[in-house]
Each structure stands twice: as C-alpha cells, then as structure tokens.
Amino acid sequence: MLPGRLCWVPLLLALGVGSGSGGGGDSRQRRLLAAKVNKHKPWIETSYHGVITENNDTVILDPPLVALDKDAPVPFAGEICAFKIHGQELPFEAVVLNKTSGEGRLRAKSPIDCELQKEYTFIIQAYDCGAGPHETAWKKSHKAVVHIQVKDVNEFAPTFKEPAYKAVVTEGKIYDSILQVEAVDEDCSPQYSQICNYEIVTTDVPFAIDRNGNIRNTEKLSYDKQHQYEILVTAYDCGQKPAAQDTLVQVDVKPVCKPGWQDWTKRIEYQPGSGSMPLFPSIHLETCDGAVSSLQIVAELQTNYIGKGCDRETYSEKSLQKLCGASSGIIDLLPSPSGATNWTAGLLVDSSEMIFKFDGRQGAKIPDGIVPKNLTDQFTITMWMKHGPSPGMRAEKETILCNSDKTEMNRHHYALYVHNCRLVFLLRKDFDQADTFRPAEFHWKLDQICDKEWHYYVINVEFPVVTLYMDGATYEPYLVTNDWPIHPSHIAMQLTVGACWQGGEVTKPRFAQFFHGSLASLTIRPGKMESQKVISCLQACKEGLDINSLESLGQGIKYHFNPSQSILVMEGDDIGNINRALQKVSYINSRQFPTAGVRRLKVSSKVQCFGEDVCISIPEVDAYVMVLQAIEPRITLRGTDHFWRPAAQFESARGVTLFPDIKIVSTFAKTKAPGDVKTTDPKSEVLEEMLHNLDFCDILVIGGDLDPRQECLELNHSELHQRHLDATNSTAGYSIYGVGSMSRYEQVLHHIRYRNWCPASLEARRFRIKCSELNGRYTSNEFNLEVSILHEDRVSDKEHVNHLIVQPPFLQSVHHPESRSSIQRSSVVPSIATVVIIISVCMLVFVVAMGVYRVRIAHQHFIQETEAAKESEMDWDDSALTITVNPMEKHEGPGHGEDETEGEEEEEAEEEMSSSSGSDDSEEEEEEEGMGRGRHGQNGARQAQLEWDDSTLPY
C-alpha cells in the first residue's frame, strides 16, 4: 500500500495540490480536486455489542471498532478522522486510535453505575478526513447500532426491610414458621441482587431459619423459663456478601392463658418537665374467662430511698419553712456545717449534706445561746427520721434530742427518744407554786418508727396537750405518764442531738443513749405551734401518682390516695372500667430539677369471683420509673469588674455601691434540630435562658478580712425583708440566703455598699460573688470585682490639672481677652499669688492644648478605629489627655457662640467641684458617673464623637 500511496504524490504536485500559490483560485481547485479524489464514504459494521464493567471506562466491543475507506491510500480522503455518537447525554465517547488503519475505541466519559442503567443503545458513524485537516468535505459512513451492557460489581450488601421483627408464640407448641424476615440487595445483576442464604447469628437459641427467611422453633418454649428471646439474623447475597447490619428478631413467649396484667412496660422513662405521664397506657387484665365479680387494685410508688422519702426540694430547712409560710424564729439544730454552725462538722453525712447518719457512737452538742434555756408552754419540734429496729438483745433508749444538766446531776429537762419502736417525748416542767403531778412523758406506738424508711414528724406542744403529726396525719399519745416538776438549781444545761449528755452520776461526763438511724431538718420553734397547713406543706412530696381525666373514670370506680400520693387504691366490679382507670394512672414530678434515678412501681390486685371458693390469682406488676437527668442550668454573673472612686466617696455615709449593674442569667444548652436553623452541624447547641430560684449568694472579701474599726459592708434590711430574703454579715463578707427569684437577688445585690472611713492606707479592695441553687447543687461562676481608691493627693493633682484644662474662661482668654476679663470680674480672686498661678497655668494649658490639637489632627482616623481598644486599656491618668481634647473640639465646632460655651463650661466646673467633695446621695453618684454625657448633650454629632470619653470622667 505504501508504494501505491506515494505514486499519487507527483500527480497531486503536478496539479498544484498543496502549493501555497494561486490565491483563491487555487483553493477552489483544491476543493474540486479533493471532491474528485474523495470518492467513497467510510465503511463500518452495521451493529456492535459491547460490555463495560461499572465504575470502569473501557468498553469491550464485538466486533472491534474499525472504519475502512476505499479512497486509501490518498491522504485525508482515505484516512479516518472521527467517530461520532448520536444521542443525548450519553456517557460515552469514541476516539480514533489510528487514522490510517481506521482503528477506534469506545470509552466512558464518566463512571458507569449499573444500578442507574443496565444497558445503553445508540448510533455511531465514522468520518473520513475529507479534503484536508480543517474538516472540509468530510464524508460519513452509514449509521451503525451500538448496544452496550453494564457488568455489575457486588458493591452493595443486603439490607433488611425492617430494622426489627417481633412475634408472639404460645408456650408448648412447635411452629413451622413463627415469622419471615426479608432482605434486599441494591445491586443490579441477578447474581448479586438475590438473597441466597439467611443465618442466625445468636448462638444457643432454640430457633432455626431456612433460605427463604422463615424462622421456626426447634423445641417447645416455656414462659416460666424465658419470657422473651432476642436473636440476631443476617443475610447473604449470591456473591456471599453478608448484610451490612443484622436485624433483631424478638420472640415473646405467651403463657397458656394465665391470668394477669398484659401489655405493660417494665421500664418507664420520665423526662423532667414533661408534667403528668401515663404509666400503663395499654394495660389490660387477662382473666382467662374467669367469673370476676369485683376487683381491687393497689398501685404503689416506692421512693423511700430518694432523699427524705421522695423527691422533695433539696433546699435548706429554713428556706422550706419560709416557702411553706411557717412562722419566724425557727432554730435549725442540724444545719449544714459552716463557720457559724460548726457543731455538725464531725457528724456522718448520708448521701446529702443535709442528711446526717448516726451510727450509735456520735452526738453533737448545741452551743449555748442557740436555743432558749426555758421553753414556754408552746413550742414545736420537727424532724425527718429514718429508723429501724434497735440493735442488740436489750433495747435501750435512743436519744434524738436531749436537754440535760451539764454537770453535777443527770436530770433530763426535755428529751425526744425512741425506745422499743416507741416514740417518747419527755417534758419536765420547772417547779412553781403548784407542786403537783403533771404530764411528763408522752408515748406513741407506730409501725413506721422502725420500718427503716423516711417519715416526717412534728410534735406540737401546747402544755399539757402534746400532739404528734406523722406524714401529715394526727396521732394522739397512747400513754401519758405524770411526774413531779424539777426543782430549780444553778446548774447549767446542755442540749444535744443524737445522744444525751450525762453530766452526773459518772466519773467523767460523757454521751449516753446513742441514736441509730438518720436524721434531717431537726428544728425547734420556741413560743409557737405550727398550723396543719404548714405541716402538710413541709412533708408534701414533689412527685407521686396522679389520675388524668378524673371525670372519665365512671361511676363504678372508687379510688383513694394516701396523703403523699404514693399509694392509689381503686375498686370496681367491671373489668373494662378497671382497665381504663388503670390506663389513666400517671406519674408526675413538679420539681424543675428532679433527682435522676429509679422509682419502683408495684401494682397488686385482689379478685373476687361469683360463688367460688377458689378465685383467680393475679401476679403483681413490678415496674419502675426511670427519671432522666434534667438539663443542668449554667448560672452566670456579669457586670462591671473594676472601677475607681475617690476616697471621699468611701468615707461618705452611704459609701460606694459595689454592684450597680450586676446581672444574673441562667442558661441551658439545647441541641438544634436540623431543620430549625441553617447550619452544617446538626448537633450544634444553642443556649436558651431559663428562670428559676436561687437560695444564696455569698459576697466574699478577697485578700484579708474587713477591719471592723474602719470598713464594713452594708445593706438596708428593708431591701431584704420586702424581697423575703435573709442575710448574715461578718468581716469575711456578706451572705444573702433564702429561696427567691434571680431578679430578687439582683435587686438586693444592687444595694450592697462598701464603706471605709479610713481609706488612707488602702489602695484597692477585691470582692467575689458566688450564687447557688438547690443548696449548692448548681453554682454560678465566681464573679470578681476590684474597687480602687483615688487618694486625695492624686485626685487633687489630677483634678487641678483637669479643671484648668477644661475651664473655658482660661482657654478662651488666649484668643478672646474680653471674655477672660469678664469672667475674671465675676470671680472672686483672693490674692495676687492666685492670679499669678492662674496666668502661669493658662500659658501651660495653651501650649499643651496646641500640642494635643496637632496630635489630634494627625491621628484622628487612627483614634476612631482603635476606640474600643482604648476603652479597655485606659487608666485614670489618660483621662487628662482625653479631657484636653474636648474643649478644643468645642471651640472649633461651628455654630457655638462664646456666651453659650461659657455657660456650658461654667456648669462643668460646678459639677466637677461637687464631685470632688463627695456626695451622700446615690442619685448624685449617678450624675457623677454620667457627667461626660451631660456636658455635651446639646450637640448630637459632637456627643457621638466623644462617647468614648465617658469612661474616664468618674474616676
């Protein structure tokens, strides 16, 4: 072929083909010659079949892609320049590998996915090179059909149609098929898309599965042996690829019609703040066609191990007393250990700082002066107690509270103790004119005293009547014994908790009659008894059972709650009504931050049948409520953390207000829902504010206690009383306590003042605030404040320079002598020396002002950009420079006459003079702090320029 192709060259050269001469005529001649030379169309096969593997780009065609042209070996006319594919958005392209031989290749332009399309059919044509390299007069072949099949790759694993399967079987039966599981595969080929096998992954279970996914049991199941089976099943496609995730199959074994409650859940989750939640929304009773005439149900919520018997608020006893409206004057005998209440420091603490555990070896002495020596005929003792049977063969007295002789003798004036599971209160009156027997010992016999569970006891004394309230119910003593009054003596008395002080009849005074058990909130209120309403509030539980829609229970249902709503009794004669009534029983917890954990729940049933001696026995329902962890609040204190005041303000009668802008905010983190806010992170969190109470805020003095001879913290008692809060003051700081809203605590903190009537040796004072909710369960950040004192020498120098720079008469005297003379005539000049000093200072001011003016013009743009940084870094010495600029700007500003300027600046001078002398009024202090804003309030534009100067003026 090569010699044949070369023989055409002389002929073409002779005809002028390929020559650059000839102009337009030559081009036309070349086209005519090419038309004579390119006589034939390319030729390809009429159809092609191809195979491509998905995610690959090479297509294997049968037959291979080759185009032939009879014009060969003529250049261009006998060569193949292109293969073109006809079709829209086809992911293939054809390329020429060799123009001379006509070989081509078909390949994919993008990844091929068998799952999207299994095969492709399109048209292809071949084109020769025509007259030349510029696609001139190309000729195309006939159309050929290309059919391509996509070869599948086993890239997908089988997946089950359901994430879990559930079935119920009756015990004692063999099933051919309990249920069928089904998996699918997304691969496109039959080999990889079909499921060829199922397999049980869980071992040692009495079940089998066939190739179609049918599960059967291999032995008879027993309800008593196992109520429920959970097995994992996997699947394999025909390429032996296992499922991406196993499916769970749950098989419940149903007993052969055994009477009992059906369709209830053992674990019930409760989200704090969700209100009342039904416990058994689908429960119903299976009686196996028994003839039931009546039914009694007892639902009991067991919370004895949580706190003091249930999920009560964990505030201090004094705060609870105030919340319930108890009378004032209550004395807490078992307070949390602190510097002022240290007699409980050595006692064992049980799970909470407010619950004390007595192990029979410890007692606490109440310091003198805490409780009056002689109680009146009216007083109240309250306590929480958890007590079990006394240890040992011979039960001895276990003292809860005892007031006995401190030395010499061993007389018990009054005492509260447990003896043989009896509660005994002893009260020996002092001798008076009537020397007769009087009631002295009051005994109560109650099972709850030794049941090892928490109970709330209140002893109301209105001598000679003594009444016991236990869990809100009233109990009269079953035994009252009389005794002679105690003769008066000079012997001091000792009040103790957890044991009784034995001061006489022994060689060495010691504790005796120790208590075994737990006590909390032991208080005494001399001179007054508590009302039934207050007692009920103090022992009320924040969680319990409830009934939704009482009106829908029906007339045939009787129900009764115990006082704490932990036990509910329902009776009825219709099983359907009983089922609906029990479905409405719910759990409720009104605490904002409940204690997380388990609450046991039991439902017992008693059935009566028609005319039968032996009736149906219903097993107990044993479930529990899981109270989830509440979202914890984040309490944040914000405000000004550093400021300066002149020493005169500290010496004034009102002192310095420490926290005028303190802000208390409580937030909690809430997870964003993916659709709420446009965010790339679906788990991002946002902070939301929440309102709740605080129970104390401590203001601590940092760097040494206060010296009571020269400094103190003060707060008007009216600020506390009108917000129902209390406070204690000491040299270490100020403690505000009591249950109150965050806004109440803010208002009180705004009025805390610090006074120092000898601040000469003091540079600064530092304070720290920390607040708490639920007796320290949630605490705030530690907010630190530093107060600096401007002493007279520094203040006088600074104010002297500042006044001279700011005073408009002196500045204007340089430019307007007539203005200066008028001001001087209106002023009282005490001496010639003063005039000389004033003139000297004026000259100095003029020089400084001109220098500052030039610096101001040069750096004005820089100052505006760095304004925020200047405010944070500025100290009080910089304020002189700042004030120097203000009069210059005022002087330069258009539209201000001399008289107006002089009037404004005279007012400035008067205000600064009053601020330097100190003020006894808080409103005057506020005027001093806002002085910069007031001076330039008449010019809005100028005020906006000088806002950053305000921070320096009060200092």
Side-chain angles (χ1 to χ4, degrees):
M1 295 295 294
L2 186 59
R5 284 182 178 268
L6 293 176
C7 70
W8 286 90
V9 175
L11 176 61
L12 295 174
L13 293 174
L15 296 174
V17 176
S19 175
S21 63
D26 292 341
S27 299
R28 184 172 56 83
Q29 291 176 1
R30 285 198 302 271
R31 288 196 297 272
L32 294 173
L33 179 61
K36 294 178 180 180
V37 175
N38 190 13
K39 297 179 179 181
H40 301 92
K41 297 179 181 180
W43 177 89
I44 59 176
E45 297 287 346
T46 57
S47 65
Y48 294 90
H49 293 276
V51 177
I52 183 172
T53 303
E54 64 176 341
N55 299 324
N56 201 346
D57 62 349
T58 302
V59 180
I60 302 174
L61 283 178
D62 182 26
L65 182 62
V66 178
L68 302 177
D69 196 320
K70 291 182 180 182
D71 294 324
V74 177
F76 299 115
E79 296 175 340
I80 304 302
C81 271
F83 293 96
K84 293 189 178 181
I85 295 174
H86 300 283
Q88 295 182 350
E89 299 181 357
L90 290 172
F92 297 99
E93 64 180 356
V95 296
V96 177
L97 299 180
N98 192 312
K99 293 183 177 181
T100 303
S101 63
E103 296 179 31
R105 176 180 296 172
L106 192 63
R107 63 189 181 187
K109 295 188 294 184
S110 59
I112 304 299
D113 192 346
C114 178
E115 286 71 39
L116 296 178
Q117 191 167 342
K118 297 182 180 180
E119 57 185 22
Y120 296 88
T121 301
F122 52 86
I123 302 298
I124 191 170
Q125 285 181 297
Y127 291 77
D128 63 15
C129 293
H134 302 294
E135 299 186 16
T136 304
W138 283 12
K139 288 189 175 183
K140 58 186 176 182
S141 68
H142 60 270
K143 295 180 180 180
V145 179
V146 181
H147 182 75
I148 298 177
Q149 289 183 333
V150 182
K151 185 179 180 181
D152 189 21
V153 175
N154 194 6
E155 58 182 334
F156 292 100
T159 58
F160 286 93
K161 287 187 175 181
E162 301 291 339
Y165 295 84
K166 186 174 182 180
V168 179
V169 299
T170 303
E171 63 177 348
K173 293 179 61 178
I174 296 292
Y175 291 82
D176 294 334
S177 177
I178 297 174
L179 77 156
Q180 183 182 20
V181 298
E182 186 177 359
V184 294
D185 196 306
E186 295 183 5
D187 288 307
C188 66
S189 65
Q191 178 184 3
Y192 299 138
S193 64
Q194 293 183 357
I195 306 301
C196 283
N197 191 25
Y198 292 92
E199 182 181 312
I200 294 178
V201 178
T202 308
T203 58
D204 299 329
V205 290
F207 299 96
I209 191 170
D210 61 15
R211 296 183 63 179
N212 295 323
N214 293 304
I215 298 176
R216 60 183 176 86
N217 57 321
T218 57
E219 62 183 46
K220 294 181 180 180
L221 304 179
S222 172
Y223 178 83
D224 295 333
K225 180 180 179 181
Q226 191 166 345
H227 296 356
Q228 186 184 83
Y229 292 88
E230 291 183 348
I231 58 177
L232 294 177
V233 177
T234 191
Y236 295 88
D237 61 17
C238 293
Q240 293 304 306
K241 192 165 190 175
Q245 185 174 2
D246 302 334
T247 188
L248 175 67
V249 178
Q250 179 179 310
V251 180
D252 294 331
V253 181
K254 180 180 178 182
V256 180
C257 196
K258 293 181 180 179
W261 294 100
Q262 305 293 328
D263 294 339
W264 54 274
T265 305
K266 186 175 183 66
R267 175 188 171 98
I268 306 155
E269 290 189 353
Y270 181 81
Q271 184 67 42
S274 56
S276 181
M277 184 189 69
L279 295 171
F280 309 110
S282 303
I283 197 169
H284 64 276
L285 181 63
E286 177 63 62
T287 61
C288 297
D289 299 327
V292 176
S293 61
S294 64
L295 184 64
Q296 183 189 69
I297 300 172
V298 179
E300 181 179 1
L301 182 69
Q302 298 178 345
T303 59
N304 303 327
Y305 49 90
I306 300 173
K308 294 177 291 188
C310 76
D311 199 12
R312 295 179 170 85
E313 294 283 4
T314 54
Y315 291 123
S316 66
E317 185 65 21
K318 184 171 289 188
S319 296
L320 282 176
Q321 300 271 5
K322 183 166 292 188
L323 284 174
C324 289
S327 55
S328 60
I330 295 171
I331 303 169
D332 191 357
L333 300 181
L334 284 178
S336 298
S338 65
T341 57
N342 58 359
W343 63 85
T344 58
L347 300 179
L348 298 176
V349 178
D350 183 12
S351 73
S352 169
E353 290 186 359
M354 295 186 293
I355 296 177
F356 296 91
K357 186 175 182 180
F358 293 86
D359 57 0
R361 295 190 297 269
Q362 286 183 313
K365 292 182 179 181
I366 308 299
D368 296 339
I370 300 296
V371 179
K373 293 182 179 180
N374 295 317
L375 299 176
T376 62
D377 288 344
Q378 285 188 349
F379 59 93
T380 301
I381 298 175
T382 66
M383 69 175 176
W384 284 95
M385 182 178 72
K386 182 171 70 173
H387 181 265
S390 302
M393 295 295 294
R394 179 169 174 252
E396 296 185 357
K397 294 180 180 180
E398 298 179 55
T399 300
I400 300 168
L401 181 66
C402 179
N403 187 29
S404 60
D405 291 333
K406 184 177 290 189
T407 58
E408 300 181 24
M409 302 180 71
N410 194 31
R411 298 176 301 174
H412 293 183
H413 298 263
Y414 61 88
L416 181 64
Y417 59 90
V418 176
H419 190 209
N420 289 326
C421 290
R422 271 76 165 168
L423 185 66
V424 183
F425 177 64
L426 169 68
L427 179 60
R428 300 285 302 279
K429 299 294 292 183
D430 291 339
F431 179 83
D432 57 11
Q433 287 79 7
D435 190 6
T436 60
F437 263 6
R438 297 186 182 184
E441 281 190 348
F442 304 83
H443 300 250
W444 292 272
K445 182 180 180 182
L446 302 172
D447 295 336
Q448 291 88 339
I449 294 173
C450 289
D451 64 0
K452 296 183 179 179
E453 296 186 4
W454 283 103
H455 298 284
Y456 186 61
Y457 299 85
V458 178
I459 298 175
N460 262 352
V461 178
E462 189 174 18
F463 195 81
V465 178
V466 178
T467 306
L468 171 67
Y469 295 88
M470 189 193 70
D471 295 337
T474 306
Y475 296 89
E476 298 295 334
Y478 80 96
L479 176 64
V480 178
T481 60
N482 297 332
D483 202 348
W484 293 102
I486 294 180
H487 289 272
S489 67
H490 63 282
I491 302 174
M493 292 178 287
Q494 177 64 61
L495 182 61
T496 57
V497 175
C500 195
W501 184 252
Q502 194 171 2
E505 303 177 1
V506 291
T507 56
K508 184 178 181 181
R510 56 181 175 83
F511 282 117
Q513 300 175 4
F514 291 96
F515 179 72
H516 297 78
S518 297
L519 296 175
S521 305
L522 177 60
T523 69
I524 188 167
R525 170 60 173 94
K528 194 169 184 179
M529 295 191 305
E530 289 300 352
S531 65
Q532 177 72 44
K533 181 179 178 181
V534 171
I535 294 172
S536 299
C537 175
L538 290 173
Q539 66 90 32
C541 192
K542 295 294 182 179
E543 63 178 343
L545 300 176
D546 192 15
I547 296 181
N548 292 330
S549 303
L550 289 174
E551 63 278 0
S552 63
L553 286 181
Q555 297 180 353
I557 301 296
K558 299 178 181 179
Y559 68 93
H560 173 70
F561 283 104
N562 69 332
S564 62
Q565 287 198 207
S566 61
I567 298 176
L568 169 63
V569 181
M570 292 193 299
E571 296 180 358
D573 53 10
D574 183 84
I575 294 179
N577 288 339
I578 287 290
N579 288 338
R580 287 187 290 271
L582 190 55
Q583 290 170 7
K584 296 180 183 298
V585 176
S586 61
Y587 169 80
I588 188 170
N589 194 319
S590 60
R591 281 193 61 188
Q592 190 174 18
F593 308 109
T595 303
V598 173
R599 277 77 164 157
R600 298 290 176 188
L601 183 65
K602 288 187 178 182
V603 177
S604 57
S605 309
K606 292 182 180 180
V607 178
Q608 289 185 355
C609 300
F610 289 102
E612 294 186 12
D613 296 336
V614 179
C615 199
I616 302 173
S617 177
I618 307 296
E620 283 189 350
V621 172
D622 189 4
Y624 63 92
V625 179
M626 173 59 72
V627 178
L628 304 179
Q629 182 67 47
I631 300 176
E632 296 190 356
R634 184 183 305 166
I635 306 171
T636 305
L637 304 178
R638 296 196 298 260
T640 303
D641 57 2
H642 192 189
F643 62 83
W644 294 261
R645 291 291 184 272
Q649 291 191 17
F650 292 89
E651 297 175 351
S652 65
R654 292 190 56 83
V656 173
T657 302
L658 293 180
F659 312 105
D661 59 349
I662 194 75
K663 183 71 175 175
I664 305 176
V665 179
S666 181
T667 57
F668 68 96
K670 181 181 179 182
T671 304
K672 283 184 180 177
D676 290 347
V677 181
K678 293 182 179 179
T679 176
T680 57
D681 184 8
K683 296 183 178 179
S684 60
E685 292 184 344
V686 294
L687 293 181
E688 290 194 5
E689 287 194 23
M690 66 187 309
L691 298 178
H692 55 87
N693 292 330
L694 300 178
D695 54 11
F696 75 80
C697 282
D698 283 342
I699 301 101
L700 302 177
V701 182
I702 308 301
D705 290 351
L706 298 174
D707 186 352
R709 296 171 298 180
Q710 66 178 31
E711 56 183 340
C712 68
L713 290 173
E714 290 183 343
L715 177 65
N716 291 336
H717 291 293
S718 60
E719 300 293 342
L720 291 169
H721 293 161
Q722 65 184 1
R723 294 173 179 86
H724 306 289
L725 298 176
D726 295 314
T728 57
N729 193 1
S730 67
T731 58
Y734 215 106
S735 293
I736 304 167
Y737 57 90
V739 180
S741 64
M742 293 184 292
S743 61
R744 287 186 180 181
Y745 271 86
E746 280 183 6
Q747 294 166 5
V748 172
L749 291 174
H750 288 168
H751 293 85
I752 293 288
R753 303 184 309 276
Y754 170 66
R755 290 184 59 201
N756 192 319
W757 44 93
C758 296
S761 60
L762 190 64
E763 293 290 335
R765 260 298 185 191
R766 291 189 297 126
F767 304 91
R768 177 178 298 160
I769 304 182
K770 189 173 184 180
C771 297
S772 160
E773 161 71 319
L774 292 178
N775 204 51
R777 180 175 171 185
Y778 303 115
T779 57
S780 70
N781 62 311
E782 293 183 348
F783 176 78
N784 295 310
L785 168 69
E786 181 172 345
V787 182
S788 298
I789 302 175
L790 300 180
H791 294 289
E792 291 184 359
D793 52 349
R794 299 183 184 178
V795 174
S796 60
D797 294 343
K798 172 180 166 28
E799 289 186 351
H800 183 63
V801 175
N802 286 352
H803 282 306
L804 295 179
I805 292 174
V806 175
Q807 287 294 332
F810 302 143
L811 183 61
Q812 294 178 358
S813 66
V814 179
H815 305 284
H816 307 283
E818 68 279 5
S819 175
R820 179 179 62 84
S821 62
S822 62
I823 297 298
Q824 286 179 349
R825 284 193 300 269
S826 61
S827 303
V828 179
V829 180
S831 64
I832 298 176
T834 303
V835 175
V836 174
I837 294 174
I838 292 175
I839 294 174
S840 301
V841 172
C842 289
M843 297 298 295
L844 174 63
V845 169
F846 175 75
V847 174
V848 174
M850 293 300 295
V852 172
Y853 174 73
R854 292 179 180 178
V855 173
R856 175 72 174 185
I857 295 300
H859 299 281
Q860 184 174 9
H861 181 66
F862 173 78
I863 290 174
Q864 291 176 350
E865 291 182 349
T866 59
E867 178 181 329
K870 278 188 168 186
E871 289 184 355
S872 61
E873 297 175 0
M874 196 178 301
D875 59 20
W876 73 277
D877 289 331
D878 296 336
S879 62
L881 182 59
T882 303
I883 298 174
T884 303
V885 177
N886 293 345
M888 292 300 299
E889 292 183 350
K890 182 180 295 184
H891 177 69
E892 294 172 359
H896 290 270
E898 297 172 7
D899 297 338
E900 181 182 355
T901 305
E902 291 175 8
E904 290 177 359
E905 291 172 344
E906 285 179 358
E907 291 176 2
E908 288 178 41
E910 292 175 0
E911 289 180 6
E912 291 200 10
M913 290 296 290
S914 62
S915 66
S916 64
S917 61
S919 174
D920 294 339
D921 196 321
S922 59
E923 295 180 357
E924 294 177 6
E925 294 176 6
E926 294 176 0
E927 290 178 3
E928 292 168 12
E929 294 177 0
M931 195 156 50
R933 293 186 294 270
R935 292 172 181 172
H936 307 287
Q938 298 179 6
N939 191 326
R942 184 176 58 196
Q943 183 181 6
Q945 278 188 330
L946 301 181
E947 278 183 355
W948 62 282
D949 293 334
D950 296 346
S951 60
T952 61
L953 291 178
Y955 308 146

